Amino acid sequence: MYGEQPRMMRMEIVPLPALRDNYIWLQREGKECVVVDPGDPAPVRAYLAEHALELVGILVTHRHNDHIGGIPALLEDRPVPVYGPPSIAVVSHAVREGDTLQVPGAQLRVWAVPGHTEEHIAYLGEDFVFCGDTIFSAGCGRILGTASAAEFHASLTRLASLPGHTRLYCTHEYTLANLRFAAMVEPENAARAAYATRCTGLREQGLPTVPALLEAELAINPFLRTAEPAIQASVSQHAGQEMQSPPAVFAALRAWKDIA
């Protein structure tokens, strides 16, 4: 399914479908690899065995069980460092805003991106980011725990400041559902309509719609477009009051999505 390992070592990021709609991301170079948010040990074990890989670390973005539930079983197979927020019990190597760590093929920077949960972090490579449940293609995560809409909007704004060619490795296949909501919010967005056609084709072939390119998300993702007049008008109409402040528009948009 994933092709032959190239003769020359190069970094590769592989999606491992898990649970109902999760992706566990496996980053490898040569015969070493790390996995990101392994909620289920089975696909990780299968890929390691099939490709004779050595797991050397686990990265965690936040505390939810569909992101950490497979870690105890993987540690039984091989004790490796588990990097993540310090508040998560299974984490052995706590990382925080501004930290860096070396993994096979890349050096990663840690960003605090609270919103989906208060402890949520992201791992940034040179042209990619493991963003967990902070941002999805055409959407974003729910606001849970003690996190606030204002914090979430700030986290998304920060991610949106990355170069347009940045690949967003989110952890759920929510794209088509998110695009249906985006069509309600901004029905005249031609870029969104074209993107929906492309993503529908990918899913019909059984292929992931992610990673997403940030430049595409800036054109189609309503949660990154809260400063756009069309989004503000749509949200204002739905809320029954005029809204122009991007943080307020984001909060109302997220609440709308929660009940849509």
Side-chain angles (χ1 to χ4, degrees), residues 5-22:
Q5 173 70 3
R7 293 184 180 181
M8 293 182 64
M9 288 199 308
R10 63 180 178 86
M11 192 272 281
E12 181 183 10
I13 301 175
V14 178
L16 305 181
L19 304 173
R20 186 177 68 176
D21 50 33
N22 283 65

Side-chain angles (χ1 to χ4, degrees), residues 114-232:
H116 179 59
T117 63
E118 63 275 9
E119 84 286 349
H120 204 301
I121 60 175
Y123 299 89
L124 281 72
E126 183 176 354
D127 59 358
F128 65 92
V129 55
F130 296 118
C131 50
D133 286 0
T134 299
I135 186 170
F136 302 123
S137 186
C140 72
R142 292 177 179 267
I143 303 171
L144 301 173
T146 62
S148 69
E151 288 176 311
F152 209 153
H153 179 260
S155 294
L156 290 176
T157 300
R158 189 180 190 192
L159 289 170
S161 72
L162 292 168
H165 62 270
T166 302
R167 289 168 286 144
L168 306 173
Y169 287 90
C170 57
T171 48
H172 286 280
E173 185 57 71
Y174 290 163
T175 306
L176 296 185
N178 288 339
L179 285 166
R180 289 191 288 271
F181 177 71
M184 294 171 53
V185 176
E186 197 178 13
E188 302 303 318
N189 187 328
R192 186 264 314 148
Y195 190 76
T197 299
R198 173 181 173 273
C199 290
T200 298
L202 289 171
R203 294 308 294 152
E204 287 174 348
Q205 298 175 65
L207 298 174
T209 61
V210 290
L213 276 180
L214 178 58
E215 63 184 357
E217 293 302 308
L218 292 172
I220 61 96
N221 189 328
F223 294 96
L224 300 184
R225 295 171 56 76
T226 54
E228 294 294 322
I231 299 290
Q232 293 178 354

Side-chain angles (χ1 to χ4, degrees), residues 51-131:
H51 296 271
L53 296 182
E54 178 183 356
L55 183 66
V56 298
I58 297 171
L59 310 181
V60 175
T61 63
H62 66 290
R63 66 178 183 266
H64 290 150
N65 194 60
D66 63 322
H67 294 253
I68 65 172
I71 293 176
L74 293 174
L75 294 179
E76 289 179 5
D77 297 342
R78 178 179 174 82
V80 298
V82 180
Y83 302 93
S87 59
I88 299 176
V90 74
V91 166
S92 61
H93 291 62
V95 291
R96 300 170 176 82
E97 167 72 33
D99 286 345
T100 61
L101 60 150
Q102 188 69 41
V103 298
Q107 184 178 74
L108 302 179
R109 292 176 290 151
V110 177
W111 272 11
V113 287
H116 179 59
T117 63
E118 63 275 9
E119 84 286 349
H120 204 301
I121 60 175
Y123 299 89
L124 281 72
E126 183 176 354
D127 59 358
F128 65 92
V129 55
F130 296 118
C131 50

